[in-house]
Amino acid sequence: MDDLGTTLRRIRTEAGRSLAEAAELAEVTKGYLSKVEQGKAVPSIAIIQRLAAGYGVRPGDIFNEAGDNAHFSLVRANDRRAINRDGSELGYVFESVGYRLPDRLAEVFVLTLPPVDDRPKQFYRHKGQEIFFMLEGFCRFFYGGAEHVIGPGDCVYFDAAIDHRGEAAGEEPAKALVVILPQPQPQPPPAG
C-alpha cells in the first residue's frame, strides 16, 4: 500500500532515523524496510508497532485519518481502511475499523486469516496486550508454544510480548476482530 509506505518514510524522516536504524528497531532488514517504504511490501502490525515505538509515535499515528468528531468514530463496513489491501506476504488482510478517532488508546482491526498453505509460518511479538475475538470460521491460535483451536464467539486476551500467531483451521478463510492495546509510554515526573 503506497500510502502506508509514504507515511512510514515521512515519520521516519521526522524522527531523524536512518533507514538502517529504523530497520534495526523493527527487527527487519534494511532492504525489506526499503521495500515497505516504496509500497512494494506490506509490514505486519507487529513491525508497525515496533517502528512507531522507535519513532516516538503511537501506532495509530501511522494509520490516522481523523474524523469530524474527536470523541466518536463510526466506520461503516464499506469504509474499513485496508492496511494491506492485497494481503501481506503471509496472506493476512488487516482492515482498520477505528481509525477515525484521533486519540484512540487501542488499534482495532478485522483480520482475515487465509487458509493454511505453504507460506512461511511466522510468529509475532510486540509490547502491550491483544484481544483476538473470532467472528467467522475456525482458527488455530499458537501462543507461547501451545496450540488452541478457537471458533466463532471465542476470545483470547493475552500479553503480546510472547510469540503468537493465528491461522485458519481448514480450507476456508477465518475472520477475527483484533484489538491491540499498546503498552503505555512512561510519563516523565512532574516538574518542580
Side-chain angles (χ1 to χ4, degrees), residues 52-99:
Y55 298 159
V57 300
R58 294 175 305 129
D61 294 339
I62 292 171
F63 313 120
N64 206 17
E65 180 182 308
D68 294 333
N69 188 328
H71 305 286
F72 179 79
S73 171
L74 171 61
V75 176
R76 303 244 184 232
N78 60 346
D79 288 335
R80 293 177 185 165
R81 187 174 203 188
I83 302 306
N84 48 351
R85 186 169 309 171
D86 301 323
S88 70
E89 292 87 0
L90 303 176
Y92 296 106
V93 177
F94 285 91
E95 297 173 293
S96 179
V97 295
Y99 62 90

Side-chain angles (χ1 to χ4, degrees), residues 3-4 7-8 10-11 14 48 52-53 55-66 81 99 101-104 106-107 182 185:
D3 292 339
L4 177 60
T7 300
L8 285 169
R10 178 185 50 77
I11 293 173
E14 289 171 357
I48 290 171
Y55 298 159
V57 300
R58 294 175 305 129
D61 294 339
I62 292 171
F63 313 120
N64 206 17
E65 180 182 308
R81 187 174 203 188
Y99 62 90
L101 189 67
D103 290 331
R104 60 194 171 274
E107 297 302 325
Q185 298 294 324

